[in-house]
């Protein structure tokens, strides 16, 4: 075990690092796109441009990485305050896609934007490489997300899960998340591939702190 704030933490297998390691931006973008490309595609396609955009605008201190033999095999992004794992503002979108194609993309991205409430951490989601799924990496990432929330004085964690991802919802439920409401968005089915979004919450307790564990 190394530095409490930023260093990797061994959990008897994969190593969990409380930030995105420098030099792994393209790998993280690849994993993130593999997990969320269906939802983000209308705003960021084509895939090559999208992965490059994500890699170029990552906020390293808003992500948790799981590594096996030094390679990133999983990532969890979160938002605290106004900073999330994936960055890039209006100027960045317009510079990448141009004004004509960029403006409608900004509208789509605005539909996906979420702002944390006071004392709340918002999760962007979890992405695990296909060859490492089923090995508990998602659970390790969620445990570290909870520790981050506890160490920042958050009282709860919030996330949104789409209706076409029941596996992710089952993982969240196993880790104490409960559904609060479901927003039906049939108008997004053809555009983004989902037609309902469920908001889930999990309370943060002192036991979630890394020191307590």
């Amino acid at each position: 075990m190394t530095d409490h704030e930023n260093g990797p933490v061994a959990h008897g297998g994969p190593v969990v690092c409380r930030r995105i390691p420098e030099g792994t931006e393209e790998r993280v973008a690849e994993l993130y796109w593999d997990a969320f490309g269906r939802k983000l595609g209308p705003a960021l396609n084509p895939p090559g441009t999208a992965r490059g955009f994500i890699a170029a605008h990552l906020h390293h201190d808003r992500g948790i990485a799981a590594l096996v033999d030094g390679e990133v095999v999983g990532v969890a992004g979160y938002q605290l305050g106004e900073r999330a794992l994936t960055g890039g503002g209006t100027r960045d979108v317009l510079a990448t896609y141009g004004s004509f194609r960029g403006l409608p993309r900004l509208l789509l991205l605005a539909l996906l934007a979420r702002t944390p409430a006071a004392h709340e951490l918002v999760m962007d989601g979890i992405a695990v490489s296909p060859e490492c799924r089923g090995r508990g990496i998602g659970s390790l990432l969620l445990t570290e997300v909870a520790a981050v929330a506890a160490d920042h004085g958050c009282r709860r964690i919030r996330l949104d899960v789409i209706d076409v991802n029941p596996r992710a919802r089952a993982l969240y439920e196993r880790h104490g998340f409960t559904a609060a409401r479901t927003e039906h968005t049939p108008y997004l089915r053809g555009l983004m591939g989902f037609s309902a979004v469920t908001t889930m919450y999990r309370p943060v307790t002192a036991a979630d702190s890394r020191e307590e564990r």
Side-chain angles (χ1 to χ4, degrees):
M1 184 177 297
T2 61
D3 177 62
H4 171 83
E5 180 63 23
N6 297 320
V9 180
H11 291 270
V15 172
V16 177
C17 184
R18 192 182 284 194
R19 67 176 289 117
I20 302 302
E22 297 292 337
T24 66
E25 295 82 3
E26 292 184 3
R27 172 61 174 166
V28 169
E30 178 185 353
L31 291 174
Y32 203 82
W33 185 254
D34 181 62
F36 306 112
R38 183 177 182 181
K39 180 172 70 173
L40 298 175
L44 297 179
N45 273 330
T49 302
R51 290 190 295 267
F53 183 86
I54 293 170
H57 299 98
L58 285 177
H59 291 140
H60 294 69
D61 62 342
R62 290 296 186 263
I64 297 167
L67 298 90
V68 173
D69 297 328
E71 180 181 11
V72 176
V73 298
V75 60
Y78 61 89
Q79 182 174 354
L80 279 171
E82 298 180 356
R83 290 166 56 82
L85 173 62
T86 53
T90 299
R91 290 185 179 181
D92 302 309
V93 172
L94 296 179
T96 300
Y97 295 96
S99 298
F100 180 74
R101 294 190 303 153
L103 288 174
R105 293 167 188 269
L106 288 170
L107 295 176
L108 293 174
L109 290 171
L111 289 175
L112 303 174
R114 295 160 295 170
T115 301
H119 307 293
E120 182 180 75
L121 179 148
V122 173
M123 280 194 59
D124 291 335
I126 286 180
V128 178
S129 62
E131 64 272 16
C132 290
R133 291 171 188 166
R135 294 172 53 182
I137 289 174
S139 293
L140 291 176
L141 291 169
L142 276 174
T143 298
E144 195 64 22
V145 167
V148 169
D151 292 347
H152 282 83
C154 296
R155 297 173 185 166
R156 70 180 184 182
I157 303 170
R158 179 176 117 224
L159 59 83
D160 291 333
V161 61
I162 58 178
D163 57 348
V164 294
N165 198 353
R167 182 172 180 173
R169 177 165 177 166
L171 172 66
Y172 299 141
E173 289 175 340
R174 290 198 301 272
H175 282 264
F177 287 86
T178 57
R181 63 181 181 273
T182 298
E183 179 182 359
H184 295 279
T185 55
Y187 55 89
L188 292 178
R189 168 66 74 175
L191 182 63
M192 293 186 169
F194 62 91
S195 58
V197 178
T198 297
T199 298
M200 307 182 77
Y201 293 102
R202 176 199 184 281
V204 177
T205 70
D208 289 316
S209 173
R210 188 186 284 175
E211 285 94 342
E212 293 295 324
R213 302 204 314 272

